[in-house]
Amino acid sequence: MLSLRDCLDYCDLTEEDVDLLAEHEHLPHDVAAHIACGLVQTSSGVLLIDHLMEEMIDQARTGGQIAKAEHVSHVYARFKAAHPLAH
C-alpha cells in the first residue's frame, strides 16, 4: 500500500503545497493531497494551483502578513520549478 508521502513524491508535490491547498480550500490535509495529485496531472490543474498560490500571496500582502506572503512565495517558486506547464 502506498503512503501519502509516496503519492506526493510521485506527483512531485511537497507537504507545503498540500498545506496551502488545504488552507485555501478549507479541506482536510489528506483530501487536499488527493485533489492536488489529480490536479498536477493536467496543465489546467497546474494553472489552478498556480493561481491559488498567487492569490494567497496577494491576500497575505494585502492583510499585512509579510511572513506568510514570503512563505507562500517560497513554496510557489518551488512549485513553479517542479511544474513548469503553468509558465
Side-chain angles (χ1 to χ4, degrees), residues 10-11 13 35-50 79 82-87:
Y10 171 76
C11 297
L13 292 168
I35 291 171
C37 285
L39 288 173
V40 297
Q41 302 303 312
T42 67
S43 58
S44 60
V46 171
L47 285 171
L48 181 68
I49 294 172
D50 184 81
F79 179 81
H83 302 282
L85 290 175
H87 318 288

Side-chain angles (χ1 to χ4, degrees), residues 5-51:
R5 177 76 260 151
D6 292 333
C7 292
L8 294 180
D9 288 344
Y10 171 76
C11 297
D12 200 16
L13 292 168
T14 66
E15 292 284 339
E16 292 173 316
D17 296 331
V18 174
D19 290 343
L20 293 179
L21 178 64
E23 178 184 341
H24 188 272
E25 298 300 318
H26 309 286
L27 296 170
H29 188 265
D30 59 335
V31 173
H34 289 291
I35 291 171
C37 285
L39 288 173
V40 297
Q41 302 303 312
T42 67
S43 58
S44 60
V46 171
L47 285 171
L48 181 68
I49 294 172
D50 184 81
H51 292 306

Side-chain angles (χ1 to χ4, degrees), residues 43-61:
S43 58
S44 60
V46 171
L47 285 171
L48 181 68
I49 294 172
D50 184 81
H51 292 306
L52 172 149
M53 289 186 184
E54 286 179 338
E55 182 179 301
M56 290 185 80
I57 294 166
D58 291 341
Q59 288 174 349
R61 285 184 182 147

